[in-house]
Amino acid sequence: MDGAGQKRRPLMVMASSSSTLAAARVGANPLAELTHRVKSLEAGMRTWLAKQPTHVEAAVATALGAVQGCALGGLMGTLAPDGGSALPMPQPPPGLDPKAMASFKQAQALAGGPLVQARNFAVMTGANAGIACVMKRIRGVEDVQGSMAAAFGSGALFSLVSGMGTPNPAVNAITTGIAFAVFQGGFFMVGQKFSQPKGEDKDTYYSRGRSMLQKLGLQNYEKNFKKGLLTDSTLPLLTDSALRDVKIPPGPRLLILDHIQRDPELTRAS
């Protein structure tokens, strides 16, 4: 009986472990798992696009932007008060003043049904994404100039495809593109200002110290340097007592002082 009981124990352990794994799978958050998969797919897509030629990346970015704009425009057209109406937009009366005609065309472009809005927004967002992609490849960075160029192109194409500004579509396309570029440039600069870390300017005073700590594997003590105001200019003056005052243990203190003595760049006052 004892031998039979001992033989059954591994089976019981295996059964309990398998039940634990099954319970863990059931208890996993499906939303978190889906979000993780989407982020992994997006990261892989970006990595693949970065290795492709400019025209391939621009084409893919344009297509994805157009799909997003199409969905957004269709939704906005459906939610509009006259979005579900099957009646066509009324035609302007003959002999209408050019300015009034332009205003009528703008209202017509913004008050179309789901299909019209889907087309207009698809062109606008697709052009914006494609031009922004090309500008980033050319300039090597995503900056305000590239953002404004993309906004100008998307605004001009939106004006042309939606029929705004008749009987001077070219002039209206240029003015609409300029308006889009000005707004996009302003939003880009405001967003860049608020996204910049508050302590970024102050961190420049600790760049050499940060690099030293990373080389030594002591990056966890960077906050100690900042708390004690041990900037780059104080590195040649560091002593054991100064490091002790900022609560750095003896071992890291010895490594830091030895590294400073061996590195001529750190021993020279900045």
Side-chain angles (χ1 to χ4, degrees):
M1 294 294 292
D2 294 339
Q6 292 178 356
K7 291 181 181 179
R8 290 174 183 171
R9 285 178 184 175
L11 296 177
M12 294 175 63
V13 172
M14 292 177 63
S16 61
S17 61
S18 60
S19 61
T20 303
L21 291 174
R25 290 178 181 176
V26 172
N29 189 351
L31 182 59
E33 185 177 357
L34 178 61
T35 303
H36 176 71
R37 290 183 179 181
V38 171
K39 289 183 178 180
S40 301
L41 182 62
E42 183 179 1
M45 186 68 176
R46 290 180 178 178
T47 303
W48 178 81
L49 284 176
K51 300 178 182 179
Q52 304 305 314
T54 302
H55 64 276
V56 175
E57 184 180 7
V60 174
T62 302
L64 293 177
V67 171
Q68 294 177 356
C70 182
L72 178 61
L75 179 62
M76 292 181 62
T78 303
L79 297 178
D82 58 345
S85 177
L87 297 177
M89 288 289 295
Q91 295 299 321
L96 193 63
D97 182 76
K99 294 183 179 180
M101 176 71 75
S103 300
F104 180 84
K105 287 293 184 180
Q106 291 178 359
Q108 187 179 31
L110 298 176
L115 295 180
V116 174
Q117 292 291 359
R119 178 201 63 188
N120 296 346
F121 276 82
V123 171
M124 181 177 64
T125 56
N128 190 290
I131 298 174
C133 175
V134 174
M135 293 299 297
K136 185 177 180 180
R137 278 290 187 100
I138 294 175
R139 300 180 61 84
V141 66
E142 187 176 356
D143 54 7
V144 64
Q145 289 84 356
S147 179
M148 292 180 68
F152 176 84
S154 62
L157 288 177
F158 175 79
S159 175
L160 292 174
V161 75
S162 62
M164 296 170 58
T166 306
N168 296 314
V171 175
N172 194 76
I174 294 175
T175 55
T176 304
I178 293 175
F180 272 54
V182 171
F183 280 111
Q184 181 71 16
F187 285 130
F188 185 91
M189 295 180 67
V190 170
Q192 196 175 36
K193 181 178 180 180
F194 281 98
S195 63
Q196 183 179 6
K198 295 182 179 180
E200 186 173 352
D201 295 336
K202 297 181 179 179
D203 286 346
T204 57
Y205 297 108
Y206 300 92
S207 59
R208 295 169 63 187
R210 184 188 306 111
S211 177
M212 175 191 67
L213 293 175
Q214 290 177 350
K215 289 179 181 179
L216 297 174
L218 304 175
Q219 57 270 16
N220 292 334
Y221 296 105
E222 181 181 347
K223 60 181 180 298
N224 301 68
F225 271 64
K226 293 181 178 180
K227 186 177 181 179
L229 299 180
L230 300 178
T231 60
D232 292 344
S233 59
T234 66
L235 293 180
L237 308 175
L238 281 183
T239 61
D240 184 78
S241 60
L243 294 175
R244 189 188 310 116
D245 290 341
V246 295
K247 299 184 178 357
I248 295 181
R253 292 204 304 264
L254 293 174
L255 293 176
I256 292 172
L257 293 175
D258 180 70
H259 184 82
I260 292 176
Q261 292 177 359
R262 294 173 180 272
D263 194 338
E265 294 292 333
L266 296 178
T267 55
R268 185 172 65 250
S270 58

